[in-house]
Amino acid sequence: MPGDMENLRKRSVAEGSESCGERRCVGPQHLDPCTVETPPPDSSAQHFCHYTPKCFITVHKGPQATSARSTPSHYGEDGWHEATSKTTIRVENEVEAHREANNYKFGFRKWKGHVTERPIEDRSDIVKELYSNLSVVKPQEGQLVTFGNVIYVFLFGWWISLIYFLVGLVMFGTIFGCRYGKVCWKLALYFLWPFGKFIEKPPDGDENIAAEDAVGAKDSAPLLVSSPISADFSMPVPCHISTYIWFLLGYPVLAVVHCLACVLSWLLVFTIPVAKLNARILTTVLLMAPKDVQIQRLEKTLSVERRVILCCYRAFNVYYYKYTIQGINIFALNLLPLVLITLIVGYTDREHKYFSAETTFATAIISIIPLSYYIGMGIASISAQSNFAVGAVVNATFGSITEMTFYITALLQGHRAATKCYEEIVKAALTGTLLGCILFIPGICMIIGGIKHSEQRFNSRSAGVSSALLFISIGGVFAPTLFSKTFGNLVCESCTNIPGNASVPFICKDCHYDTVGSCFYFFFLPHDPQPLVYTISVLLPAAYLIGLIFTLKTHSHIYDIHISDGHGGHHVVHWSRWRALAVLIVATVLMACCADLSTENIEPILAHFSISQYFIGVTVLAMVPELPEIVNGIQFALQNNISLSLEVGSCIAVQVCMIQIPLLILFNAFYDVGFVLVFSDIHLWASIFSVILVNYIFMDGKCDYFQGTVLVVVYLILLALYFFAPSPRSC
């Protein structure tokens, strides 16, 4: 090692020894006391320990942390420079470190969500507001007349208020229920505009409940407990006649109203505060004695927080897309009823008496989105709590299950219908997945990330591994196509003789290269591409396995994962391994059912002559199952982690070529459905051009929104090409 490099290494070790105290190198399975780290100048009070299977000397340079191997004599100067470009990541605990490490391993699907519960006190004020239960009066911040609050009046406020007014009239008509009628009229005014008002129980005697319940402005814990009301509320006296009238005539009607409002506002997601408001009214306020329901306006001079029964400031919060329940995103949770409705309707209304085939197909395709999300969460939970071998098996087994279920059910449907159209649809979906993962996912992530962060950089070493495997994948998948075009027989459906034209004696239409049908074992005919197909189906998984060994074992030091000392030992996992496995199995079964319904009801769409079957395959059938990955990639880009955004698309494309297509060939070998790995020219040249373009874009290790725009525009051009292309011959 040159003298300058040696001095730099010694200085790094010396500085780390003075500032870090006791240091540890934490690997996946062991502790290794051989790692030192120099903290950044601006954060010297916070130290981090390594989570890495190797030993490193980490040298931080300002906000960006880089690291170098501690064995320079073995790697030399090239090894030193190579290691200084590695990425460093900090996480809360060891389980999250496993998840992050899996995200950076080649061949693993990239998943965004946390698999452990994050302490609410460590999260931002925006997130804390999402989980508040509307039980604390706070000093007013901002205006109450907002766009969301005005929309509430038109969507919910007027008709809930009207029903309360009518129920109040009924209660007054019974004479004995007058006191409940007064409460209904007060609540009618409250629901018309509940913002800036609060409901509380009046104090008993001279007791100053407001003073007892006052909390400091910095204490946010009372906002987040499930039952925030410490004082007991008075229940109606059971023997009073007005109570029976109320529970017979008033409460049931209002219960239906509030349940309907809860469901509607919950499904809209961004109006979840309205759902919380209606739930609190239904379960608490309407069960209180009329004398205990007191509605007051918020004082502008309020300086401290106080506990109440209900207080709402806004009906709309755009950040509710982050809301999770047991680690499950709110959108995936809300789409679960659609899955059940799709299965019930699809298997009970096979004659399409109530719902058309197009409707069933659309709901079945949309149902694949939440099921893909649950499969991804299950994979992330199991792999984060297991070693790399179990994680690799789970990722390889379930990572492609979404696409494989659709491809196999489509091939079986085509085999039963004795048509090759479904095979062409599967090939179009395979190609569409490749194009979307190579062009659209990186492109849209570059655009969104580039708008926020101007220019983003990524790990060129990791991108180089993915690029090389993309070239191998595309070359292997389309080799039988090139073979058939070189050695196959050109067949034309119709040729017309042109008398007197010596240069072009015939005009031929619908010409294609004819290949021999599928043969088994070693009895192949001349020019049959099947031997080449079987050879490639062995070589591609072998290359995938070598890539796994490269990133999981021999070169796992490419990335460093850091665990914050403050959270290293405290974590609660959302899903245990057994629960995650059960979710995986159930979601896989439901996925197979939805895929079966989609292929069973796709025939009317395929018969629509105005839309090419190619276009249906490369868009709807290819990209809808990948929507969770697209969302993950965008979130990574917004966090300035463009490396993972690019790996999202590359990983899916490599899995399509190296796992899914060999599995389809294996399935066809045991159950002949007529699947031949020979693609149309449009698939061949679109895929080759896309791989060349994306590798050219990735050469310099940095990207911006203009490069992302180039990729997205090229993707849209190819979609336009598929849209105007004629339908396949078999369709």
Side-chain angles (χ1 to χ4, degrees):
M1 175 178 287
D4 294 340
M5 289 295 154
E6 180 66 22
N7 294 334
L8 177 60
R9 187 185 66 82
K10 291 180 179 179
R11 185 164 62 253
S12 301
V13 176
E15 292 175 356
S17 301
E18 293 175 0
S19 60
C20 289
E22 182 181 357
R23 292 161 294 278
R24 296 181 299 173
C25 175
V26 184
Q29 306 294 338
H30 62 279
L31 298 177
D32 191 353
C34 60
T35 301
V36 294
E37 182 181 26
T38 304
D42 57 347
S43 59
S44 57
Q46 187 177 11
H47 303 286
F48 296 92
C49 62
H50 270 274
Y51 182 80
T52 171
K54 304 292 182 181
C55 298
F56 297 97
I57 298 172
T58 303
V59 182
H60 297 273
K61 299 181 180 180
Q64 298 294 331
T66 58
S67 50
R69 278 297 294 259
S70 62
T71 56
S73 60
H74 178 71
Y75 283 87
E77 184 176 353
D78 293 338
W80 176 274
H81 285 295
E82 172 190 342
T84 56
S85 63
K86 292 183 297 185
T87 301
T88 56
I89 306 166
R90 290 179 175 86
V91 293
E92 293 90 351
N93 52 65
E94 294 184 7
V95 176
E96 294 297 338
H98 271 289
R99 182 185 61 82
E100 286 287 353
N102 290 340
N103 269 343
Y104 283 98
K105 291 174 181 175
F106 162 76
F108 282 20
R109 292 291 182 111
K110 317 303 175 187
W111 303 109
K112 171 64 174 64
H114 280 69
V115 297
T116 58
E117 294 183 8
R118 302 175 64 186
I120 194 66
E121 60 271 11
D122 294 341
R123 307 182 76 173
S124 65
D125 293 336
I126 293 176
V127 176
K128 290 178 181 178
E129 180 67 22
L130 303 182
Y131 295 94
S132 66
N133 48 24
L134 311 183
S135 62
V136 173
V137 176
K138 299 180 294 184
Q140 181 177 346
E141 297 179 0
Q143 296 293 327
L144 295 177
V145 182
T146 62
F147 175 77
N149 291 352
V150 173
I151 292 297
Y152 159 84
V153 176
F154 290 98
L155 293 181
F156 300 98
W158 70 270
W159 59 272
I160 295 179
S161 177
L162 178 61
I163 294 176
Y164 263 98
F165 181 78
L166 296 178
V167 171
L169 287 179
V170 173
M171 298 307 296
F172 275 111
T174 62
I175 306 300
F176 296 100
C178 291
R179 56 177 186 164
Y180 284 101
K182 294 179 181 179
V183 171
C184 288
W185 283 3
K186 289 194 298 183
L187 290 176
L189 295 176
Y190 173 81
F191 271 101
L192 191 61
W193 186 264
F195 314 108
K197 305 175 185 177
F198 60 91
I199 301 176
E200 66 174 355
K201 176 185 175 183
D204 296 331
D206 296 332
E207 184 181 6
N208 191 349
I209 296 181
E212 293 181 356
D213 290 339
V215 295
K218 297 182 180 179
D219 185 10
S220 59
L223 291 172
L224 309 167
V225 295
S226 58
S227 182
I229 304 172
S230 57
D232 295 331
F233 55 83
S234 301
M235 294 290 293
V237 181
C239 59
H240 199 284
I241 187 172
S242 63
T243 303
Y244 295 108
I245 295 176
W246 169 247
F247 281 107
L248 181 64
L249 300 179
Y251 186 82
V253 175
L254 296 176
V256 173
V257 170
H258 287 300
C259 288
L260 178 61
C262 278
V263 172
L264 292 177
S265 56
W266 185 271
L267 291 178
L268 293 175
V269 176
F270 302 108
T271 57
I272 286 181
V274 179
K276 294 180 179 180
L277 184 148
N278 282 271
R280 180 63 57 82
I281 290 289
L282 179 63
T283 59
T284 302
V285 176
L286 295 184
L287 299 178
M288 296 171 59
K291 63 182 180 65
D292 290 335
V293 179
Q294 183 174 343
I295 302 176
Q296 298 184 11
R297 290 188 175 273
L298 179 66
E299 299 177 2
K300 296 183 179 180
T301 58
L302 181 67
S303 59
V304 296
E305 298 178 357
R306 54 180 293 190
R307 296 274 192 97
V308 293
I309 297 175
L310 179 61
C311 180
C312 183
Y313 290 89
R314 57 182 58 89
F316 186 90
N317 192 337
V318 71
Y319 292 100
Y320 264 101
Y321 70 89
K322 299 182 177 181
Y323 195 72
T324 60
I325 297 178
Q326 290 294 313
I328 304 173
N329 185 269
I330 182 64
F331 288 101
L333 189 66
N334 284 351
L335 285 176
L336 266 184
L338 179 64
V339 177
L340 301 179
I341 293 173
T342 299
L343 296 178
I344 294 173
V345 171
Y347 287 109
T348 57
D349 187 28
R350 290 185 176 271
E351 301 298 328
H352 304 297
K353 295 181 179 179
Y354 304 102
F355 297 94
S356 64
E358 292 85 350
T359 302
T360 305
F361 170 79
T363 56
I365 287 293
I366 297 175
S367 299
I368 291 177
I369 299 175
L371 295 176
S372 300
Y373 174 86
Y374 286 107
I375 290 175
M377 285 291 295
I379 293 174
S381 298
I382 294 177
S383 59
Q385 301 175 70
S386 309
N387 55 35
F388 76 93
V390 174
V393 171
V394 172
N395 272 273
T397 304
F398 290 95
S400 301
I401 199 69
T402 301
E403 297 86 352
M404 289 301 301
T405 52
F406 171 76
Y407 298 151
I408 291 177
T409 53
L411 291 175
L412 291 174
Q413 181 71 17
H415 181 66
R416 290 192 295 265
T419 176
K420 300 287 289 184
C421 186
Y422 287 87
E423 179 187 354
E424 292 297 330
I425 292 296
V426 170
K427 293 177 182 178
L430 288 168
T431 308
T433 304
L434 290 177
L435 298 179
C437 295
I438 295 174
L439 296 176
F440 180 74
I441 294 180
I444 196 67
C445 293
M446 286 182 184
I447 292 174
I448 296 177
I451 292 174
K452 182 177 181 180
H453 302 287
S454 181
E455 184 178 84
Q456 295 179 294
R457 296 181 179 270
F458 52 88
N459 191 313
S460 58
R461 179 69 183 277
S462 176
V465 174
S466 300
S467 299
L469 286 167
L470 271 178
F471 270 114
I472 297 174
S473 303
I474 297 298
V477 167
F478 289 99
T481 304
L482 295 174
F483 180 88
S484 66
K485 294 185 181 302
T486 304
F487 302 104
N489 298 320
L490 184 61
V491 178
C492 297
E493 296 298 332
S494 62
C495 292
T496 304
N497 186 13
I498 302 179
N501 191 339
S503 60
V504 184
F506 294 96
I507 293 180
C508 299
K509 297 180 180 179
D510 197 8
C511 297
H512 61 277
Y513 287 93
D514 187 23
T515 57
V516 181
S518 176
C519 300
F520 296 99
Y521 306 109
F522 300 101
F523 302 100
F524 300 106
L525 299 178
H527 312 307
D528 187 358
Q530 286 302 112
L532 177 61
V533 170
Y534 293 146
T535 302
I536 290 172
S537 66
V538 175
L539 293 178
L540 288 180
Y544 183 82
L545 181 61
I546 293 173
L548 287 179
I549 296 174
F550 178 83
T551 55
L552 298 184
K553 296 295 293 183
T554 61
H555 288 69
S556 59
H557 58 272
I558 294 178
Y559 290 94
D560 295 336
I561 310 297
H562 296 262
I563 308 175
S564 172
D565 288 332
H567 304 287
H570 306 283
H571 62 268
V572 177
V573 182
H574 286 301
W575 295 358
S576 65
R577 277 178 290 219
W578 289 109
R579 180 181 178 183
L581 181 61
V583 171
L584 272 180
I585 295 174
V586 173
T588 301
V589 173
L590 296 179
M591 178 75 70
C593 296
C594 291
D596 179 63
L597 289 175
S598 62
T599 56
E600 186 177 304
N601 294 276
I602 197 176
E603 185 176 357
I605 299 177
L606 297 180
H608 202 283
F609 294 102
S610 62
I611 302 177
S612 173
Q613 286 79 4
Y614 284 139
F615 184 76
I616 298 173
V618 299
T619 54
V620 178
L621 304 182
M623 296 308 296
V624 168
E626 310 302 338
L627 283 179
E629 282 86 351
I630 296 174
V631 174
N632 290 339
I634 292 174
Q635 290 179 334
F636 289 135
L638 290 174
Q639 296 174 356
N640 203 19
N641 193 356
I642 196 64
S643 294
L644 274 187
S645 298
L646 303 182
E647 287 291 331
V648 168
S650 298
C651 173
I652 299 173
V654 170
Q655 280 196 357
V656 168
C657 296
M658 294 189 168
I659 293 181
Q660 296 177 16
I661 289 179
L663 286 177
L664 289 177
I665 296 171
L666 180 64
F667 174 78
N668 186 77
F670 285 97
Y671 188 85
D672 188 10
V673 291
F675 180 74
V676 181
L677 195 64
V678 176
F679 291 82
S680 301
D681 288 355
I682 187 173
H683 300 324
L684 171 65
W685 300 117
S687 300
I688 293 177
F689 174 74
S690 301
V691 172
I692 295 175
L693 174 64
V694 79
N695 278 276
Y696 175 77
I697 294 290
F698 291 168
M699 285 177 58
D700 56 355
K702 57 185 179 181
C703 61
D704 48 46
Y705 73 89
F706 176 73
Q707 292 177 326
T709 303
V710 170
L711 295 179
V712 172
V713 169
V714 171
Y715 177 73
L716 295 178
I717 291 174
L718 293 177
L719 288 188
L721 177 65
Y722 279 104
F723 181 81
F724 294 107
S727 300
R729 292 181 296 105
S730 56
C731 294

